[in-house]
Every structure is written in structure tokens, then in C-alpha cells.
């Protein structure tokens, strides 16, 4: 990943989700309260475990995420085999985060 992309990702003051890029770069949750940092792992477990029970094979699915924030759930769907994921959010900052993350090859 180019330095300019990393600089742009790190310039955002707040991240709701933790991302690991394939080059090893980590974009971590930003929170003043340490317990807020743990919510990411809890949400991922609760939501994705439930979805995986109901959708055992994501291969070929097309996913829509309304209120997508920075696209975390879209990236999770793609990682599981969805062929396409579209996210919508009213906050343009979150859309910009998602677009930049897609350039960084999210793991």
C-alpha cells in the first residue's frame, strides 16, 4: 500500500471498526473508553456468528448494507465469498473511509 493511502486512512480522527490490511497495516478502533475497543470483537462475534448460522455459504451472494459506516460488514461478506457488496451511508466521511479501505485490500 502506498504511503499516501496509509496517510489518508490514518488522517481520519475516528474509526468504529478494526481493519487489518493484507500488507499488515492495522487501522484500529479509536475510543476514549477502553471498553469501547472491545465492542468491535463482540459485535463481530454476535452478528457474523448469527449470519453464518443462517447463511452457511456466501458464495455468489450480492449484499446490501444500509448505514454501512466504513463498510466493515460489506468486507466481511466479501471475505466469506459474496461476489458483490454495496454499502450506503448518509455520512460522506464513512463512505470515503470505505472507498479508501477497498484500495488497501482489507483482510
Amino acid at each position: 500500500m502506498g504511503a499516501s493511502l496509509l496517510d489518508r486512512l490514518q488522517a481520519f480522527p475516528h474509526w468504529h471498526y478494526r481493519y487489518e490490511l493484507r500488507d499488515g497495516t492495522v487501522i484500529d478502533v479509536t475510543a476514549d473508553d477502553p471498553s469501547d475497543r472491545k465492542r468491535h470483537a463482540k459485535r463481530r462475534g454476535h452478528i457474523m456468528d448469527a449470519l453464518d448460522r443462517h447463511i452457511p455459504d456466501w458464495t455468489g451472494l450480492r449484499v446490501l448494507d444500509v448505514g454501512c459506516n466504513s463498510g466493515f460488514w460489506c468486507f466481511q461478506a466479501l471475505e466469506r465469498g459474496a461476489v458483490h457488496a454495496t454499502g450506503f451511508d448518509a455520512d460522506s466521511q464513512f463512505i470515503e473511509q470505505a472507498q479508501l479501505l477497498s484500495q488497501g485490500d482489507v483482510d
Side-chain angles (χ1 to χ4, degrees):
M1 176 176 37
S4 63
L5 178 57
L6 179 57
D7 290 342
R8 290 174 66 193
L9 288 168
Q10 291 176 333
F12 287 98
H14 191 78
W15 287 90
H16 290 276
Y17 296 97
R18 183 177 197 272
Y19 291 94
E20 295 177 26
L21 307 182
R22 287 201 170 89
D23 72 351
T25 301
V26 173
I27 305 297
D28 211 350
V29 174
T30 51
D32 295 329
D33 183 345
S35 66
D36 284 347
R37 291 183 179 272
K38 296 178 184 174
R39 73 187 150 122
H40 165 78
K42 288 180 182 178
R43 274 189 194 159
R44 182 177 183 173
H46 291 306
I47 293 171
M48 292 315 297
D49 289 351
L51 285 172
D52 286 340
R53 281 193 301 276
H54 295 285
I55 309 169
D57 183 9
W58 292 71
T59 305
L61 293 180
R62 299 177 66 79
V63 174
L64 174 63
D65 182 357
V66 177
C68 68
N69 196 284
S70 57
F72 181 79
W73 304 111
C74 288
F75 293 117
Q76 290 295 303
L78 293 168
E79 184 179 299
R80 284 168 165 73
V83 295
H84 183 83
T86 299
F88 291 94
D89 201 288
D91 190 325
S92 61
Q93 174 181 300
F94 295 144
I95 298 301
E96 185 179 358
Q97 285 177 323
Q99 289 171 335
L100 288 171
L101 285 166
S102 70
Q103 296 172 34
D105 210 8
V106 175
D107 223 1

